[in-house]
Amino acid sequence: MPAITLTENLFVQVAIPSPLRTLFDYLPPKSKHHHAIKRGVRVIVPFGRREITGIVISTSSQSAIDSDKLKPIITVLDNTPIIPEDIMTLCCWASGYYHYSLGETLMLVLPKSLRQGKSLPIITTTQWQLMQPMASIEQLQKSNKQLKAAQLLNQSPAGTLSETELTKRGISKAVLKNMAKKGFIASHEQPQAMDKFTSHPFQGKEQPLTLNKEQRHAIHAIRPHFNQYHPVLLDGITGSGKTEVYLQLIALALAAGKQTLVLIPEIGLTPQTFNRFKKRFSTPIICLHSKLSESERLQGWHQAANETASLIIATRSGVFTPLPSLGLIIVDEEHDASYKQQDTLRYNARDLALYRGRQAQCPVILGSATPSLESWYNARRARFQYAALKQRAGQASHPQMELLDMRRQNLQHGLAPDIIKRISSQLASDNQVMIFLNRRGYAPSAICHECGNVVGCPHCDAYMAIHRLPPHMHCHQCDFQTPIPTHCTSCKSAHIKPVGQGTERVEQTLSHLFPNFPVIRIDRDSARKKNALKSMLETINSGTPCILLGTQMLAKGHHFPKVTLVIILNADAGLFSADFRALERTGQLITQVAGRAGRGHKSGQVVIQTFNPQHTALQTLIKNDYSLYINFLFKEREQLNLPPFEHLAIIRAESTNAKPCEMLLINLRRYLEQQRLSDRIKILGPFPAAIEKRQNRFRWQLLIQSAKRAVIHHAANLLPDYLKGQKIQRQIRWSIDIDPQDMT
């Protein structure tokens, strides 16, 4: 959009970070000394009693509001658009598709400091220069290091050297500061030249690996489609070498002078992914995730937007990162529910990645050992190219899977006697054992053995879990914590005992049973400290015989070549959920965990403890062919008209009282039924959420289902205008979730 010439009839449409799904008209700034107003620049505007940052969307010669009622923009913050046109288009589409405020959607793109109206930082380097002749310095100097620094500066053609260059040549910062105190040298800050990534060679120390036939076929099938939108489902079993395929595709993009966006589901996977890519490529690589400091995130965002970085490894929100030379998108573990944002803008990063691929006219690789039913469905209908990797890379073989019937077993804190024997045998053979339990803490709950009262959260419909280090009760729904009770609140009895097993309790048992071997527990609690996960993974990768115990943090992407036995505890947890996706997630999790076994030269075994060994889902999974499990799920979904065969949206309402939520959704249902949509839409509910009360708020849901996606959106578009005319209590919050992943 060209710069705007100010006229009396000019109006500026600004997107404001407000729940209101509308643009706001403003007059140009009163001062004539300001940056040109362009689409995508930030502006400071008055909004009610506040001054806030907004984004310019467009200008017009007309406004529905009289000009004497409009306020002028206070400040134009940017000379050029801070949000490029392709990201503006992406946000406009996401705002419409997910029925969310455009202003709030645009703010998700920007790092926090830019949302607050601050300027982009100018990255500088410290430059040092001589302030006295070399002759006088040589006379006075007694330090070899100081003399060397002076000589280096004297020999420099420009008469200056950067602090980084001097440090590389063995001159420490302390030496430079001492010389500055004596007046021999002085420093100044100079803006750092931000070279584009194309000015660097991209090949690193590690050479590409030799590909097997399936890997070569996948790359050869994708290669012709660079420079055009081409979605690919890379269905590769665990250990099949998907990462090597990614690396060689990235090399093709780099050779063409293109940037690559790699999305990963978990922050915990970032260090190993970064290290693997850093060995292969010498080009600038950045990581973007929520654990970074604000300055780190801003710098990474800036490098990506300025084409200084060629390879961006990011979690979910990285899909909004500006990338002017985007040439390849990879969504690793594309099935993972972490790609779906569960509040604010309820977007799915996988689906937005596909939209960005269409914008950039580049391939989008969706990789997984356990593809989502939606992606599998799209591949079946030829919307995605399908590439399969069914052979494990190198000498690794498929693990053997079996079910262990837990009925009538004498368990030792959740472990069957046969399991204990197998662990002992593997450790004695210098191997590693992995035990998976997707339940952190010491025990899921505590019960009074006198009256049967279970310790519950006062703020949620959930039990409090026991944690041992430090000792406390913890609600995993709202994060409420309290000391472990010594007496029952109901009958005052002191006989309160833990019920069930969490990772802490199993760790205690394993440490007692196998005192000569380390038990490495990996869950959100143990990995909380900085570099804790990195340290634990280094111990595991050293090959020391040990027991790995953890939650789903262990299930994804890790390569543990010495793990020969994987044990899955409590496999039944997802078999009987009210969420129709539970069986899909259970199958994905079990398959991913099982894939950690036998990735080296030794064969692997997987044992699944269950009280339901005849369950069809488990019987299908142990055949070790995920396509059979997909077909089993497809039949069920098709019979019930569930995604991917039909489409869903959930209207949610929550409040401090349940009744207003129920009544609001009842009225919404009546309104939608009056819109003559009944022949194309099904409306179910309202009904309370599976966990009705969370954080002292009651949650109710209304489900909309249709074979046509457009009908779902039409119904959702009707709601804001209808609700504007209703007297909704202030404490009620409502939202629309398109393509929901969590039905609870």
Side-chain angles (χ1 to χ4, degrees):
M1 176 175 152
I4 295 163
T5 304
L6 299 182
T7 68
E8 293 181 1
N9 298 324
L10 181 68
F11 303 98
V12 183
Q13 282 77 50
V14 179
I16 299 295
S18 155
L20 299 173
R21 301 176 193 181
T22 185
L23 300 178
F24 295 86
D25 287 359
Y26 286 90
L27 299 173
K30 291 181 179 179
S31 170
K32 295 182 180 180
H33 304 287
H34 61 77
H35 300 310
I37 302 174
K38 301 177 183 178
R39 175 175 163 89
V41 302
R42 295 172 301 152
V43 290
I44 301 293
V45 295
F47 191 72
R49 297 180 180 179
R50 300 176 294 152
E51 293 181 359
I52 62 175
T53 305
I55 305 292
V56 172
I57 302 300
S58 61
T59 60
S60 175
S61 60
Q62 296 181 332
S63 174
I65 302 171
D66 292 339
S67 59
D68 58 354
K69 294 182 180 179
L70 295 177
K71 297 178 181 180
I73 291 169
I74 297 170
T75 308
V76 180
L77 295 173
D78 306 309
N79 186 29
T80 57
I82 199 78
I83 301 180
E85 185 56 37
D86 62 327
I87 302 298
M88 290 284 287
T89 304
L90 173 72
C91 289
C92 289
W93 181 85
S95 170
Y97 187 86
Y98 294 106
H99 301 272
Y100 195 68
S101 155
L102 176 58
E104 292 184 319
T105 301
L106 288 166
M107 287 300 161
L108 291 173
V109 174
L110 300 176
K112 184 178 179 181
S113 61
L114 299 183
R115 296 198 299 267
Q116 294 172 339
K118 297 178 182 177
S119 300
L120 275 170
I122 299 173
I123 301 174
T124 62
T125 58
T126 303
Q127 298 285 329
W128 291 93
Q129 68 182 87
L130 281 174
M131 302 303 292
Q132 294 189 21
M134 269 300 294
S136 60
I137 295 175
E138 287 171 347
Q139 277 184 334
L140 297 172
Q141 277 309 309
K142 295 180 181 179
S143 166
N144 290 333
K145 288 287 186 182
Q146 291 186 9
L147 187 58
K148 181 182 177 182
Q151 290 170 342
L152 288 170
L153 290 169
N154 188 51
Q155 293 165 4
S156 171
T160 65
L161 282 175
S162 71
E163 187 168 284
T164 303
E165 185 63 30
L166 287 165
T167 303
K168 284 181 181 178
R169 299 191 187 188
I171 310 300
S172 68
K173 291 182 181 179
V175 170
L176 296 172
K177 287 181 180 179
N178 284 333
M179 293 181 72
K181 285 180 182 178
K182 297 173 183 177
F184 294 155
I185 61 174
S187 67
H188 65 274
E189 294 298 312
Q190 181 174 308
Q192 180 178 327
M194 298 186 71
D195 296 332
K196 290 194 175 183
F197 70 89
T198 49
S199 64
H200 300 273
F202 66 82
Q203 184 60 55
K205 294 179 181 179
E206 182 185 87
Q207 294 300 309
L209 302 179
T210 302
L211 302 176
N212 62 32
K213 183 178 179 180
E214 290 180 331
Q215 291 171 314
R216 288 197 304 272
H217 177 76
I219 290 175
H220 290 160
I222 297 166
R223 186 199 295 264
H225 300 286
F226 271 78
N227 298 318
Q228 67 183 85
Y229 173 59
H230 189 69
V232 180
L233 175 60
L234 184 61
D235 175 18
I237 65 168
T238 53
S240 61
K242 290 187 295 296
T243 304
E244 184 61 30
V245 172
Y246 297 160
L247 289 167
Q248 297 204 19
L249 289 171
I250 291 168
L252 293 175
L254 290 171
K258 296 289 188 177
Q259 293 171 297
T260 298
L261 173 64
V262 179
L263 294 181
I264 55 177
E266 296 282 353
I267 293 171
L269 294 175
T270 306
Q272 68 176 40
T273 306
F274 178 82
N275 291 336
R276 180 79 189 274
F277 286 19
K278 197 68 180 172
K279 289 177 183 177
R280 182 65 61 88
F281 304 117
S282 62
T283 185
I285 302 172
I286 62 168
C287 296
L288 294 174
H289 53 76
S290 61
K291 294 295 183 184
L292 296 176
S293 66
E294 177 53 30
S295 62
E296 289 172 328
R297 188 171 180 82
L298 179 60
Q299 184 175 348
W301 187 89
H302 196 197
Q303 287 178 278
N306 284 278
E307 299 180 82
T308 306
S310 61
L311 182 51
I312 294 81
I313 303 168
T315 50
R316 180 175 58 221
S317 61
V319 75
F320 292 105
T321 306
L323 295 163
S325 300
L326 182 59
L328 175 65
I329 301 174
I330 296 169
V331 184
D332 193 28
E333 308 290 358
E334 65 84 27
H335 67 277
D336 200 286
S338 300
Y339 285 124
K340 174 72 172 180
Q341 174 77 17
Q342 298 296 347
D343 55 16
T344 62
L345 176 68
R346 291 171 166 82
Y347 68 94
N348 191 315
R350 177 196 64 205
D351 297 341
L352 289 188
L354 291 165
Y355 188 91
R356 286 207 71 177
R358 189 182 294 276
Q359 282 184 305
Q361 287 297 293
C362 72
V364 182
I365 314 301
L366 307 180
S368 178
T370 54
S372 64
L373 262 68
E374 286 81 2
S375 294
W376 196 289
Y377 184 69
N378 282 324
R380 278 190 171 185
R381 300 184 71 184
R383 291 177 178 174
F384 297 170
Q385 182 186 355
Y386 179 77
L389 303 177
K390 298 301 181 183
Q391 174 187 342
R392 280 198 153 181
Q395 302 298 315
S397 58
H398 294 265
Q400 297 297 313
M401 298 180 67
E402 62 179 281
L403 301 177
L404 180 61
D405 191 348
M406 301 287 286
R407 293 172 295 185
R408 297 180 294 278
Q409 292 264 11
N410 184 20
L411 302 180
Q412 194 164 345
H413 293 296
L415 298 171
D418 184 53
I419 289 295
I420 296 171
K421 289 179 183 177
R422 293 190 191 209
I423 295 172
S424 180
S425 174
Q426 292 296 328
L427 293 174
S429 299
D430 203 33
N431 298 323
Q432 293 177 341
V433 176
M434 178 173 155
I435 299 177
F436 174 78
L437 175 61
N438 206 24
R439 185 175 282 163
R440 63 190 177 100
Y442 186 77
S445 58
I447 190 170
C448 173
H449 277 224
E450 293 292 335
C451 70
N453 181 51
V454 181
V455 179
C457 175
H459 310 296
C460 306
D461 289 336
Y463 296 130
M464 299 277 283
I466 302 174
H467 285 248
R468 188 167 59 93
L469 295 172
H472 68 284
M473 304 294 293
H474 198 135
C475 175
H476 292 165
Q477 296 296 325
C478 71
D479 214 29
F480 176 72
Q481 299 177 34
T482 186
I484 298 175
T486 56
H487 292 79
C488 175
T489 55
S490 180
C491 71
K492 310 305 178 186
S493 168
H495 294 158
I496 298 178
K497 303 292 182 184
V499 178
Q501 288 78 37
T503 49
E504 288 183 1
R505 194 174 192 182
V506 175
E507 177 189 25
Q508 186 182 62
T509 301
L510 291 168
S511 297
H512 174 73
L513 292 170
F514 306 101
N516 297 323
F517 297 94
V519 178
I520 303 172
R521 174 170 60 87
I522 298 181
D523 56 26
R524 198 187 307 172
D525 300 315
S526 66
R528 199 178 299 275
K529 291 182 180 179
K530 190 173 183 179
N531 296 323
L533 179 60
K534 180 181 177 182
S535 176
M536 289 186 283
L537 292 176
E538 285 175 354
T539 302
I540 296 166
N541 290 324
S542 70
T544 303
C546 61
I547 301 173
L548 291 61
L549 168 66
T551 59
Q552 60 182 332
M553 287 182 70
L554 275 177
K556 306 164 189 172
H558 297 291
H559 178 65
F560 302 135
K562 290 212 67 176
V563 170
T564 53
L565 174 63
V566 167
I567 299 155
I568 300 173
L569 307 182
N570 197 26
D572 301 339
L575 298 179
F576 306 104
S577 170
D579 189 340
F580 73 88
R581 295 188 191 275
L583 278 183
E584 180 182 4
R585 292 200 181 115
T586 297
Q588 288 167 341
L589 199 52
I590 289 175
T591 304
Q592 292 281 347
V593 174
R596 302 313 109 195
R599 296 169 73 97
H601 296 295
K602 295 183 179 180
S603 60
Q605 296 175 301
V606 180
V607 182
I608 303 171
Q609 290 194 166
T610 175
F611 288 98
N612 299 275
Q614 301 306 315
H615 196 286
T616 307
L618 296 179
Q619 286 291 330
T620 307
L621 281 171
I622 62 169
K623 294 176 182 176
N624 216 350
D625 184 348
Y626 194 72
S627 61
L628 296 176
Y629 193 69
I630 284 274
N631 290 328
F632 158 70
L633 294 175
F634 261 131
K635 290 176 183 177
E636 181 183 73
R637 298 278 185 92
E638 192 168 19
Q639 289 172 356
L640 298 173
N641 294 320
L642 290 170
F645 298 96
E646 290 203 359
H647 308 287
L648 297 178
I650 293 179
I651 304 170
R652 294 188 171 97
E654 61 174 70
S655 176
T656 50
N657 294 304
K659 197 62 180 176
C661 296
E662 183 183 9
M663 290 309 301
L664 173 65
L665 295 181
I666 287 173
N667 291 336
L668 280 178
R669 174 170 183 153
R670 288 172 180 164
Y671 172 72
L672 290 174
E673 288 173 341
Q674 292 168 3
Q675 304 308 306
R676 299 180 180 178
L677 298 171
S678 57
D679 59 331
R680 295 175 291 161
I681 203 168
K682 301 172 192 171
I683 305 175
L684 304 174
F687 46 83
I691 301 176
E692 181 181 2
K693 182 184 176 186
R694 180 184 289 172
Q695 292 181 306
N696 288 322
R697 297 184 69 84
F698 293 87
R699 308 178 307 140
W700 280 66
Q701 301 179 159
L702 190 68
L703 185 67
I704 302 175
Q705 182 176 352
S706 177
K708 299 290 185 182
R709 204 183 293 273
V711 177
I712 295 274
H713 288 294
H714 178 59
N717 282 326
L718 293 171
L719 299 182
D721 288 338
Y722 168 75
L723 290 170
K724 279 181 186 178
Q726 304 302 304
K727 293 183 179 180
I728 301 175
Q729 298 178 21
R730 284 189 174 182
Q731 68 267 31
I732 297 180
R733 301 176 193 157
W734 69 276
S735 63
I736 301 172
D737 189 356
I738 301 293
D739 304 329
Q741 294 293 308
D742 183 0
M743 306 298 292
T744 61

